[in-house]
Amino acid sequence: MSEFQRFPGVALDRCGLNRQAVFDIADLPDGVVGDTAGYRQLILLGHGGTALWEAVNQSGIGGRDPIDDFTVRVVRQWMSEFQPENRYAILYPGPQPIALQRLGALAGWHHASPFMVGIDTEWGTWYAYRAVVLADTRFAPSRAVDRINPCATCQTRPCITACPASAMADGSFSLQKCITGRRQADSPCAFTCLARIACPVGNDHRYTAEQLAHTYSISLQTIRAHY
Ligand code: SF4
Ligand code: SF4
């Protein structure tokens, strides 16, 4: 009999949490997450495309951050259904800073795009990290997804010229230029990212306008609160 438990990923897929990676905490590099004492594994969950947004809408959940609230609800139901004996802690969403892109890189999900949103050949930039869970599970650790960075072979780089703030015009990404552009009253990037829209990779998974507006309204609120 296998020493590993079956990872019940289909139940998460159905709720739109369709990117899943399992790490043995003992194998993680230092500094990726904070205190993991007492737990054996780290489960990284993400969404790709529009399935999660559709599931959130169908659930009728409201509030300021329905995606996070829905995700936590799904994770709790999933753990109680499939791992009722195991302890767990949801680190993200939560107040503790987590190096999500580092975890994404370890999972093989993350390659840096010129505008610093993660990208891969299947999903393009249309994915995001949704949950980091510490657990006493014994799932088989995931193998890193092996995909190249599509930006490495992108000759025309339309994302760079599409940015109205010229945030990548100097050869690297200027967060300050992006923020300044988005804060302007008539900014075309208040509720979207024109660079992201211009990228052709993973077009089949592109967020709906409503999903984009929700995502970017949250980051705009953060910008207005802190800059
Ligand atoms: S347009 Fe090209 S360089 Fe820009 S994010 Fe897409 S693949 Fe990368
Ligand atoms: S949000 Fe707008 S300003 Fe910022 S990188 Fe994207 S296109 Fe440029």
Side-chain angles (χ1 to χ4, degrees), residues 70-211:
F70 178 80
T71 298
V72 169
R73 189 162 88 185
V74 168
V75 169
R76 292 203 184 289
Q77 284 171 349
W78 181 74
M79 286 298 293
S80 99
E81 182 173 352
F82 295 102
Q83 296 288 316
E85 308 297 326
N86 277 329
R87 291 184 321 122
Y88 69 97
I90 299 175
L91 287 193
Y92 178 83
Q96 181 179 326
I98 309 271
L100 292 171
Q101 290 192 341
R102 271 191 81 191
L103 281 173
L106 291 168
W109 301 355
H110 174 82
H111 303 282
S113 68
F115 45 100
M116 302 313 286
V117 173
I119 189 167
D120 78 10
T121 48
E122 180 183 352
W123 297 100
T125 65
W126 306 111
Y127 71 90
Y129 307 96
R130 302 279 37 137
V132 175
V133 182
L134 302 179
D136 276 341
T137 45
R138 292 183 182 276
F139 298 126
S142 309
R143 282 197 194 150
V145 180
D146 185 13
R147 298 194 185 116
I148 60 160
N149 183 350
C151 302
T153 53
C154 179
Q155 301 292 326
T156 52
R157 304 205 146 209
C159 59
I160 293 177
T161 46
C163 174
S166 301
M168 295 153 275
D170 296 337
S172 60
F173 179 67
S174 166
L175 180 62
Q176 192 53 54
K177 283 186 183 173
C178 172
I179 287 172
T180 303
R182 293 193 67 201
R183 279 176 57 91
Q184 289 174 0
D186 56 351
S187 172
C189 285
F191 301 108
T192 188
C193 169
L194 298 187
R196 196 170 180 181
I197 296 285
C199 175
V201 182
N203 250 344
D204 290 349
H205 303 298
R206 180 180 289 206
Y207 297 171
T208 63
E210 187 194 23
Q211 186 176 0

